[in-house]
Amino acid sequence: MSTPYLLEVAVSVALLASAIGFAIGLAIGRGRQPRWQEKGSFVHKVSIGFASLDRLDAVMLRFEVEPGSRLSGVEIGELRLPDGSGVSLVTRGTQVIVPEARDVLRTGDQVLVVAALGQVTLVEERLRSISRYGRLAGWAA
């Protein structure tokens, strides 16, 4: 086996393990994960927490689709997140979903986004924009 293949497998396993740990943490103690840092405000109905994946040069962002947020009803593909980022997991009550582009976010969903370190600010800005203006936010930009 070549080294790039082994690295790809290691990264895939690490991301999968992180996603599973996130889901288990939500199931065991919703909101009691002290390693998550909260950033932002509830002004635009989205508060984003993040955890660093130091060895992968990536960050996991977590947010909840809150009542009044225009993220509710938006398809995953309509988020149009920057390259190097994507929605990895959605928890809806006790259901854990590995989303596809056509899956629709609902109020109360807990969402896990994995982003490259250089994309975190762009991802946060994009999520806040959609939460405030809806699925067409920044379409012309």
Side-chain angles (χ1 to χ4, degrees):
M1 286 190 225
S2 66
T3 303
Y5 174 77
L6 291 175
L7 179 61
E8 184 176 324
V9 169
V11 169
S12 297
V13 169
L15 287 175
L16 181 60
S18 296
I20 290 170
F22 172 78
I24 291 170
L26 281 177
I28 292 173
R30 290 180 75 98
R32 289 188 277 163
Q33 292 86 10
R35 62 181 173 240
W36 286 92
Q37 296 178 353
E38 293 297 328
K39 182 176 181 181
S41 68
F42 289 96
V43 174
H44 299 298
K45 303 293 184 199
V46 62
S47 178
I48 302 168
F50 64 93
S52 176
L53 300 172
D54 295 332
R55 297 174 73 187
L56 302 176
D57 290 329
V59 172
M60 290 189 300
L61 303 165
R62 179 197 50 84
F63 68 92
E64 180 176 350
V65 180
E66 299 180 20
S69 170
R70 296 186 71 186
L71 282 162
S72 183
V74 173
E75 292 181 1
I76 298 297
E78 292 176 317
L79 293 174
R80 296 184 321 277
L81 297 174
D83 291 337
S85 62
V87 175
S88 310
L89 195 70
V90 175
T91 60
R92 183 174 292 147
T94 58
Q95 187 179 20
V96 177
I97 303 162
V98 177
E100 296 180 10
R102 299 297 309 259
D103 289 328
V104 177
L105 295 174
R106 297 183 192 165
T107 300
D109 284 355
Q110 296 283 330
V111 184
L112 177 67
V113 175
V114 177
L117 282 176
Q119 300 297 325
V120 173
T121 302
L122 293 173
V123 170
E124 290 176 330
E125 289 171 358
R126 180 72 190 141
L127 292 172
R128 284 193 185 96
S129 178
I130 295 173
S131 181
R132 184 174 186 182
Y133 300 112
R135 65 175 37 95
L136 299 178
W139 186 256

mmCIF file with all atom_site columns, all heavy atoms in Angstrom, residues 110-130:
data_model
loop_
_atom_site.group_PDB
_atom_site.id
_atom_site.type_symbol
_atom_site.label_atom_id
_atom_site.label_alt_id
_atom_site.label_comp_id
_atom_site.label_asym_id
_atom_site.label_entity_id
_atom_site.label_seq_id
_atom_site.pdbx_PDB_ins_code
_atom_site.Cartn_x
_atom_site.Cartn_y
_atom_site.Cartn_z
_atom_site.occupancy
_atom_site.B_iso_or_equiv
_atom_site.pdbx_formal_charge
_atom_site.auth_seq_id
_atom_site.auth_comp_id
_atom_site.auth_asym_id
_atom_site.auth_atom_id
_atom_site.pdbx_PDB_model_num
ATOM 1   N N   . GLN A 1 110 ? -29.502 19.292 15.258 1.00 0.00 ? 110 GLN A N   1
ATOM 2   C CA  . GLN A 1 110 ? -28.127 19.558 15.657 1.00 0.00 ? 110 GLN A CA  1
ATOM 3   C C   . GLN A 1 110 ? -27.280 19.169 14.462 1.00 0.00 ? 110 GLN A C   1
ATOM 4   O O   . GLN A 1 110 ? -27.401 18.046 13.954 1.00 0.00 ? 110 GLN A O   1
ATOM 5   C CB  . GLN A 1 110 ? -27.732 18.724 16.877 1.00 0.00 ? 110 GLN A CB  1
ATOM 6   C CG  . GLN A 1 110 ? -28.510 19.032 18.128 1.00 0.00 ? 110 GLN A CG  1
ATOM 7   C CD  . GLN A 1 110 ? -28.028 20.320 18.776 1.00 0.00 ? 110 GLN A CD  1
ATOM 8   O OE1 . GLN A 1 110 ? -26.856 20.704 18.677 1.00 0.00 ? 110 GLN A OE1 1
ATOM 9   N NE2 . GLN A 1 110 ? -28.940 20.999 19.451 1.00 0.00 ? 110 GLN A NE2 1
ATOM 10  N N   . VAL A 1 111 ? -26.427 20.077 13.990 1.00 0.00 ? 111 VAL A N   1
ATOM 11  C CA  . VAL A 1 111 ? -25.687 19.859 12.749 1.00 0.00 ? 111 VAL A CA  1
ATOM 12  C C   . VAL A 1 111 ? -24.186 19.933 13.018 1.00 0.00 ? 111 VAL A C   1
ATOM 13  O O   . VAL A 1 111 ? -23.719 20.835 13.705 1.00 0.00 ? 111 VAL A O   1
ATOM 14  C CB  . VAL A 1 111 ? -26.094 20.915 11.688 1.00 0.00 ? 111 VAL A CB  1
ATOM 15  C CG1 . VAL A 1 111 ? -25.400 20.640 10.366 1.00 0.00 ? 111 VAL A CG1 1
ATOM 16  C CG2 . VAL A 1 111 ? -27.611 20.939 11.506 1.00 0.00 ? 111 VAL A CG2 1
ATOM 17  N N   . LEU A 1 112 ? -23.453 18.982 12.449 1.00 0.00 ? 112 LEU A N   1
ATOM 18  C CA  . LEU A 1 112 ? -21.997 18.946 12.559 1.00 0.00 ? 112 LEU A CA  1
ATOM 19  C C   . LEU A 1 112 ? -21.401 19.210 11.183 1.00 0.00 ? 112 LEU A C   1
ATOM 20  O O   . LEU A 1 112 ? -21.699 18.507 10.224 1.00 0.00 ? 112 LEU A O   1
ATOM 21  C CB  . LEU A 1 112 ? -21.529 17.579 13.063 1.00 0.00 ? 112 LEU A CB  1
ATOM 22  C CG  . LEU A 1 112 ? -20.022 17.373 13.169 1.00 0.00 ? 112 LEU A CG  1
ATOM 23  C CD1 . LEU A 1 112 ? -19.437 18.260 14.253 1.00 0.00 ? 112 LEU A CD1 1
ATOM 24  C CD2 . LEU A 1 112 ? -19.718 15.914 13.455 1.00 0.00 ? 112 LEU A CD2 1
ATOM 25  N N   . VAL A 1 113 ? -20.582 20.267 11.106 1.00 0.00 ? 113 VAL A N   1
ATOM 26  C CA  . VAL A 1 113 ? -19.889 20.630 9.868  1.00 0.00 ? 113 VAL A CA  1
ATOM 27  C C   . VAL A 1 113 ? -18.399 20.452 10.111 1.00 0.00 ? 113 VAL A C   1
ATOM 28  O O   . VAL A 1 113 ? -17.879 20.869 11.145 1.00 0.00 ? 113 VAL A O   1
ATOM 29  C CB  . VAL A 1 113 ? -20.175 22.107 9.484  1.00 0.00 ? 113 VAL A CB  1
ATOM 30  C CG1 . VAL A 1 113 ? -19.371 22.525 8.266  1.00 0.00 ? 113 VAL A CG1 1
ATOM 31  C CG2 . VAL A 1 113 ? -21.668 22.318 9.236  1.00 0.00 ? 113 VAL A CG2 1
ATOM 32  N N   . VAL A 1 114 ? -17.701 19.824 9.179  1.00 0.00 ? 114 VAL A N   1
ATOM 33  C CA  . VAL A 1 114 ? -16.245 19.723 9.245  1.00 0.00 ? 114 VAL A CA  1
ATOM 34  C C   . VAL A 1 114 ? -15.693 20.701 8.219  1.00 0.00 ? 114 VAL A C   1
ATOM 35  O O   . VAL A 1 114 ? -16.133 20.737 7.071  1.00 0.00 ? 114 VAL A O   1
ATOM 36  C CB  . VAL A 1 114 ? -15.757 18.289 8.954  1.00 0.00 ? 114 VAL A CB  1
ATOM 37  C CG1 . VAL A 1 114 ? -14.237 18.234 8.958  1.00 0.00 ? 114 VAL A CG1 1
ATOM 38  C CG2 . VAL A 1 114 ? -16.316 17.316 9.981  1.00 0.00 ? 114 VAL A CG2 1
ATOM 39  N N   . ALA A 1 115 ? -14.743 21.541 8.671  1.00 0.00 ? 115 ALA A N   1
ATOM 40  C CA  . ALA A 1 115 ? -14.176 22.567 7.790  1.00 0.00 ? 115 ALA A CA  1
ATOM 41  C C   . ALA A 1 115 ? -12.662 22.594 7.931  1.00 0.00 ? 115 ALA A C   1
ATOM 42  O O   . ALA A 1 115 ? -12.127 22.405 9.019  1.00 0.00 ? 115 ALA A O   1
ATOM 43  C CB  . ALA A 1 115 ? -14.748 23.939 8.139  1.00 0.00 ? 115 ALA A CB  1
ATOM 44  N N   . ALA A 1 116 ? -11.987 22.844 6.825  1.00 0.00 ? 116 ALA A N   1
ATOM 45  C CA  . ALA A 1 116 ? -10.542 23.068 6.867  1.00 0.00 ? 116 ALA A CA  1
ATOM 46  C C   . ALA A 1 116 ? -10.290 24.328 7.686  1.00 0.00 ? 116 ALA A C   1
ATOM 47  O O   . ALA A 1 116 ? -11.122 25.245 7.707  1.00 0.00 ? 116 ALA A O   1
ATOM 48  C CB  . ALA A 1 116 ? -9.997  23.235 5.449  1.00 0.00 ? 116 ALA A CB  1
ATOM 49  N N   . LEU A 1 117 ? -9.161  24.383 8.384  1.00 0.00 ? 117 LEU A N   1
ATOM 50  C CA  . LEU A 1 117 ? -8.865  25.530 9.258  1.00 0.00 ? 117 LEU A CA  1
ATOM 51  C C   . LEU A 1 117 ? -9.038  26.870 8.556  1.00 0.00 ? 117 LEU A C   1
ATOM 52  O O   . LEU A 1 117 ? -9.581  27.803 9.117  1.00 0.00 ? 117 LEU A O   1
ATOM 53  C CB  . LEU A 1 117 ? -7.448  25.420 9.820  1.00 0.00 ? 117 LEU A CB  1
ATOM 54  C CG  . LEU A 1 117 ? -7.268  24.456 10.979 1.00 0.00 ? 117 LEU A CG  1
ATOM 55  C CD1 . LEU A 1 117 ? -5.790  24.370 11.376 1.00 0.00 ? 117 LEU A CD1 1
ATOM 56  C CD2 . LEU A 1 117 ? -8.107  24.845 12.168 1.00 0.00 ? 117 LEU A CD2 1
ATOM 57  N N   . GLY A 1 118 ? -8.621  26.969 7.321  1.00 0.00 ? 118 GLY A N   1
ATOM 58  C CA  . GLY A 1 118 ? -8.708  28.227 6.590  1.00 0.00 ? 118 GLY A CA  1
ATOM 59  C C   . GLY A 1 118 ? -10.111 28.597 6.155  1.00 0.00 ? 118 GLY A C   1
ATOM 60  O O   . GLY A 1 118 ? -10.327 29.698 5.647  1.00 0.00 ? 118 GLY A O   1
ATOM 61  N N   . GLN A 1 119 ? -11.079 27.704 6.333  1.00 0.00 ? 119 GLN A N   1
ATOM 62  C CA  . GLN A 1 119 ? -12.448 27.948 5.871  1.00 0.00 ? 119 GLN A CA  1
ATOM 63  C C   . GLN A 1 119 ? -13.430 28.277 6.991  1.00 0.00 ? 119 GLN A C   1
ATOM 64  O O   . GLN A 1 119 ? -14.588 28.589 6.726  1.00 0.00 ? 119 GLN A O   1
ATOM 65  C CB  . GLN A 1 119 ? -12.962 26.721 5.112  1.00 0.00 ? 119 GLN A CB  1
ATOM 66  C CG  . GLN A 1 119 ? -12.165 26.359 3.898  1.00 0.00 ? 119 GLN A CG  1
ATOM 67  C CD  . GLN A 1 119 ? -12.207 27.457 2.849  1.00 0.00 ? 119 GLN A CD  1
ATOM 68  O OE1 . GLN A 1 119 ? -13.195 28.135 2.673  1.00 0.00 ? 119 GLN A OE1 1
ATOM 69  N NE2 . GLN A 1 119 ? -11.091 27.657 2.168  1.00 0.00 ? 119 GLN A NE2 1
ATOM 70  N N   . VAL A 1 120 ? -12.998 28.224 8.245  1.00 0.00 ? 120 VAL A N   1
ATOM 71  C CA  . VAL A 1 120 ? -13.904 28.364 9.380  1.00 0.00 ? 120 VAL A CA  1
ATOM 72  C C   . VAL A 1 120 ? -14.680 29.677 9.335  1.00 0.00 ? 120 VAL A C   1
ATOM 73  O O   . VAL A 1 120 ? -15.908 29.689 9.463  1.00 0.00 ? 120 VAL A O   1
ATOM 74  C CB  . VAL A 1 120 ? -13.143 28.226 10.724 1.00 0.00 ? 120 VAL A CB  1
ATOM 75  C CG1 . VAL A 1 120 ? -14.049 28.528 11.905 1.00 0.00 ? 120 VAL A CG1 1
ATOM 76  C CG2 . VAL A 1 120 ? -12.551 26.829 10.839 1.00 0.00 ? 120 VAL A CG2 1
ATOM 77  N N   . THR A 1 121 ? -14.008 30.780 9.138  1.00 0.00 ? 121 THR A N   1
ATOM 78  C CA  . THR A 1 121 ? -14.681 32.081 9.118  1.00 0.00 ? 121 THR A CA  1
ATOM 79  C C   . THR A 1 121 ? -15.691 32.162 7.985  1.00 0.00 ? 121 THR A C   1
ATOM 80  O O   . THR A 1 121 ? -16.816 32.632 8.175  1.00 0.00 ? 121 THR A O   1
ATOM 81  C CB  . THR A 1 121 ? -13.658 33.227 8.997  1.00 0.00 ? 121 THR A CB  1
ATOM 82  O OG1 . THR A 1 121 ? -12.755 33.147 10.101 1.00 0.00 ? 121 THR A OG1 1
ATOM 83  C CG2 . THR A 1 121 ? -14.338 34.579 9.006  1.00 0.00 ? 121 THR A CG2 1
ATOM 84  N N   . LEU A 1 122 ? -15.325 31.663 6.807  1.00 0.00 ? 122 LEU A N   1
ATOM 85  C CA  . LEU A 1 122 ? -16.250 31.669 5.670  1.00 0.00 ? 122 LEU A CA  1
ATOM 86  C C   . LEU A 1 122 ? -17.478 30.807 5.935  1.00 0.00 ? 122 LEU A C   1
ATOM 87  O O   . LEU A 1 122 ? -18.600 31.181 5.583  1.00 0.00 ? 122 LEU A O   1
ATOM 88  C CB  . LEU A 1 122 ? -15.542 31.187 4.399  1.00 0.00 ? 122 LEU A CB  1
ATOM 89  C CG  . LEU A 1 122 ? -14.439 32.092 3.856  1.00 0.00 ? 122 LEU A CG  1
ATOM 90  C CD1 . LEU A 1 122 ? -13.721 31.416 2.701  1.00 0.00 ? 122 LEU A CD1 1
ATOM 91  C CD2 . LEU A 1 122 ? -15.021 33.421 3.423  1.00 0.00 ? 122 LEU A CD2 1
ATOM 92  N N   . VAL A 1 123 ? -17.283 29.647 6.570  1.00 0.00 ? 123 VAL A N   1
ATOM 93  C CA  . VAL A 1 123 ? -18.409 28.770 6.903  1.00 0.00 ? 123 VAL A CA  1
ATOM 94  C C   . VAL A 1 123 ? -19.325 29.466 7.901  1.00 0.00 ? 123 VAL A C   1
ATOM 95  O O   . VAL A 1 123 ? -20.555 29.480 7.727  1.00 0.00 ? 123 VAL A O   1
ATOM 96  C CB  . VAL A 1 123 ? -17.916 27.417 7.466  1.00 0.00 ? 123 VAL A CB  1
ATOM 97  C CG1 . VAL A 1 123 ? -19.066 26.608 8.036  1.00 0.00 ? 123 VAL A CG1 1
ATOM 98  C CG2 . VAL A 1 123 ? -17.179 26.619 6.393  1.00 0.00 ? 123 VAL A CG2 1
ATOM 99  N N   . GLU A 1 124 ? -18.755 30.061 8.951  1.00 0.00 ? 124 GLU A N   1
ATOM 100 C CA  . GLU A 1 124 ? -19.568 30.763 9.948  1.00 0.00 ? 124 GLU A CA  1
ATOM 101 C C   . GLU A 1 124 ? -20.357 31.900 9.305  1.00 0.00 ? 124 GLU A C   1
ATOM 102 O O   . GLU A 1 124 ? -21.557 32.061 9.571  1.00 0.00 ? 124 GLU A O   1
ATOM 103 C CB  . GLU A 1 124 ? -18.686 31.313 11.069 1.00 0.00 ? 124 GLU A CB  1
ATOM 104 C CG  . GLU A 1 124 ? -18.108 30.245 11.959 1.00 0.00 ? 124 GLU A CG  1
ATOM 105 C CD  . GLU A 1 124 ? -17.162 30.796 13.004 1.00 0.00 ? 124 GLU A CD  1
ATOM 106 O OE1 . GLU A 1 124 ? -16.508 31.834 12.750 1.00 0.00 ? 124 GLU A OE1 1
ATOM 107 O OE2 . GLU A 1 124 ? -17.074 30.194 14.077 1.00 0.00 ? 124 GLU A OE2 1
ATOM 108 N N   . GLU A 1 125 ? -19.699 32.673 8.450  1.00 0.00 ? 125 GLU A N   1
ATOM 109 C CA  . GLU A 1 125 ? -20.385 33.787 7.785  1.00 0.00 ? 125 GLU A CA  1
ATOM 110 C C   . GLU A 1 125 ? -21.516 33.274 6.907  1.00 0.00 ? 125 GLU A C   1
ATOM 111 O O   . GLU A 1 125 ? -22.601 33.859 6.874  1.00 0.00 ? 125 GLU A O   1
ATOM 112 C CB  . GLU A 1 125 ? -19.393 34.605 6.950  1.00 0.00 ? 125 GLU A CB  1
ATOM 113 C CG  . GLU A 1 125 ? -18.434 35.421 7.783  1.00 0.00 ? 125 GLU A CG  1
ATOM 114 C CD  . GLU A 1 125 ? -17.313 36.059 6.966  1.00 0.00 ? 125 GLU A CD  1
ATOM 115 O OE1 . GLU A 1 125 ? -17.255 35.835 5.726  1.00 0.00 ? 125 GLU A OE1 1
ATOM 116 O OE2 . GLU A 1 125 ? -16.496 36.771 7.565  1.00 0.00 ? 125 GLU A OE2 1
ATOM 117 N N   . ARG A 1 126 ? -21.276 32.187 6.195  1.00 0.00 ? 126 ARG A N   1
ATOM 118 C CA  . ARG A 1 126 ? -22.300 31.624 5.306  1.00 0.00 ? 126 ARG A CA  1
ATOM 119 C C   . ARG A 1 126 ? -23.510 31.140 6.112  1.00 0.00 ? 126 ARG A C   1
ATOM 120 O O   . ARG A 1 126 ? -24.649 31.403 5.753  1.00 0.00 ? 126 ARG A O   1
ATOM 121 C CB  . ARG A 1 126 ? -21.692 30.476 4.490  1.00 0.00 ? 126 ARG A CB  1
ATOM 122 C CG  . ARG A 1 126 ? -22.647 29.840 3.545  1.00 0.00 ? 126 ARG A CG  1
ATOM 123 C CD  . ARG A 1 126 ? -22.967 30.749 2.369  1.00 0.00 ? 126 ARG A CD  1
ATOM 124 N NE  . ARG A 1 126 ? -24.062 30.176 1.629  1.00 0.00 ? 126 ARG A NE  1
ATOM 125 C CZ  . ARG A 1 126 ? -25.052 30.873 1.092  1.00 0.00 ? 126 ARG A CZ  1
ATOM 126 N NH1 . ARG A 1 126 ? -25.057 32.176 1.164  1.00 0.00 ? 126 ARG A NH1 1
ATOM 127 N NH2 . ARG A 1 126 ? -26.014 30.274 0.467  1.00 0.00 ? 126 ARG A NH2 1
ATOM 128 N N   . LEU A 1 127 ? -23.269 30.428 7.216  1.00 0.00 ? 127 LEU A N   1
ATOM 129 C CA  . LEU A 1 127 ? -24.365 29.929 8.045  1.00 0.00 ? 127 LEU A CA  1
ATOM 130 C C   . LEU A 1 127 ? -25.174 31.067 8.653  1.00 0.00 ? 127 LEU A C   1
ATOM 131 O O   . LEU A 1 127 ? -26.409 31.027 8.677  1.00 0.00 ? 127 LEU A O   1
ATOM 132 C CB  . LEU A 1 127 ? -23.830 29.000 9.130  1.00 0.00 ? 127 LEU A CB  1
ATOM 133 C CG  . LEU A 1 127 ? -23.250 27.675 8.640  1.00 0.00 ? 127 LEU A CG  1
ATOM 134 C CD1 . LEU A 1 127 ? -22.580 26.934 9.775  1.00 0.00 ? 127 LEU A CD1 1
ATOM 135 C CD2 . LEU A 1 127 ? -24.327 26.826 7.982  1.00 0.00 ? 127 LEU A CD2 1
ATOM 136 N N   . ARG A 1 128 ? -24.491 32.101 9.127  1.00 0.00 ? 128 ARG A N   1
ATOM 137 C CA  . ARG A 1 128 ? -25.208 33.259 9.695  1.00 0.00 ? 128 ARG A CA  1
ATOM 138 C C   . ARG A 1 128 ? -26.035 33.961 8.624  1.00 0.00 ? 128 ARG A C   1
ATOM 139 O O   . ARG A 1 128 ? -27.156 34.405 8.879  1.00 0.00 ? 128 ARG A O   1
ATOM 140 C CB  . ARG A 1 128 ? -24.222 34.226 10.334 1.00 0.00 ? 128 ARG A CB  1
ATOM 141 C CG  . ARG A 1 128 ? -23.713 33.735 11.663 1.00 0.00 ? 128 ARG A CG  1
ATOM 142 C CD  . ARG A 1 128 ? -22.991 34.827 12.447 1.00 0.00 ? 128 ARG A CD  1
ATOM 143 N NE  . ARG A 1 128 ? -22.435 34.240 13.642 1.00 0.00 ? 128 ARG A NE  1
ATOM 144 C CZ  . ARG A 1 128 ? -21.169 33.820 13.756 1.00 0.00 ? 128 ARG A CZ  1
ATOM 145 N NH1 . ARG A 1 128 ? -20.323 33.978 12.762 1.00 0.00 ? 128 ARG A NH1 1
ATOM 146 N NH2 . ARG A 1 128 ? -20.748 33.269 14.865 1.00 0.00 ? 128 ARG A NH2 1
ATOM 147 N N   . SER A 1 129 ? -25.496 34.080 7.435  1.00 0.00 ? 129 SER A N   1
ATOM 148 C CA  . SER A 1 129 ? -26.195 34.741 6.341  1.00 0.00 ? 129 SER A CA  1
ATOM 149 C C   . SER A 1 129 ? -27.473 33.988 5.976  1.00 0.00 ? 129 SER A C   1
ATOM 150 O O   . SER A 1 129 ? -28.546 34.589 5.817  1.00 0.00 ? 129 SER A O   1
ATOM 151 C CB  . SER A 1 129 ? -25.262 34.845 5.125  1.00 0.00 ? 129 SER A CB  1
ATOM 152 O OG  . SER A 1 129 ? -25.914 35.445 4.042  1.00 0.00 ? 129 SER A OG  1
ATOM 153 N N   . ILE A 1 130 ? -27.383 32.670 5.855  1.00 0.00 ? 130 ILE A N   1
ATOM 154 C CA  . ILE A 1 130 ? -28.571 31.871 5.523  1.00 0.00 ? 130 ILE A CA  1
ATOM 155 C C   . ILE A 1 130 ? -29.572 31.912 6.672  1.00 0.00 ? 130 ILE A C   1
ATOM 156 O O   . ILE A 1 130 ? -30.781 31.998 6.453  1.00 0.00 ? 130 ILE A O   1
ATOM 157 C CB  . ILE A 1 130 ? -28.192 30.423 5.172  1.00 0.00 ? 130 ILE A CB  1
ATOM 158 C CG1 . ILE A 1 130 ? -27.361 30.405 3.895  1.00 0.00 ? 130 ILE A CG1 1
ATOM 159 C CG2 . ILE A 1 130 ? -29.443 29.559 5.001  1.00 0.00 ? 130 ILE A CG2 1
ATOM 160 C CD1 . ILE A 1 130 ? -26.798 29.052 3.557  1.00 0.00 ? 130 ILE A CD1 1
#
